Amino acid sequence: GSWKCGTQLPWKLWGEDYYMTHCMDFLSVGRIGDFSVLGDNMCVGANCGDTNTASFHPFKNENDWITCWDVANGLPPPAPPATTPPSTR
């Protein structure tokens, strides 16, 4: 299926979510509306610590993705960046 989508769809400028939707439709894969397995920040929220969620979306930059990955794997979230105290001059 992946080969068929890759050779017959104009996918090169698509994001992964758009590609997967169109590829599955192109292959006539049926849809099931089970929104409990996807933590989607755009619709229902992405609680990366929810062990009943199979995937999390969208995390478009590397830092956000790694933070979610760490939380999903039981690691503590990173400490916030240190702030510089205001000057007393």
Side-chain angles (χ1 to χ4, degrees):
S2 177
W3 180 85
K4 185 176 180 181
C5 291
T7 59
Q8 297 182 30
L9 292 176
W11 58 268
K12 291 186 180 179
L13 298 177
W14 296 352
E16 80 285 350
D17 46 355
Y18 192 82
Y19 170 81
M20 287 303 296
T21 297
H22 283 76
C23 180
M24 294 296 178
D25 288 345
F26 184 68
L27 298 173
S28 299
V29 174
R31 295 181 183 212
I32 298 172
D34 183 356
F35 299 100
S36 67
V37 298
L38 173 65
D40 188 337
N41 250 356
M42 304 303 289
C43 298
V44 296
N47 175 1
C48 298
D50 182 351
T51 58
N52 294 311
T53 301
S55 62
F56 306 98
H57 181 266
F59 292 97
K60 299 291 186 182
N61 70 59
E62 182 179 0
N63 187 54
D64 289 347
W65 188 91
I66 289 172
T67 298
C68 184
W69 172 266
D70 287 346
V71 171
N73 284 287
L75 300 172
T83 57
T84 306
S87 175
T88 56
R89 291 188 212 196

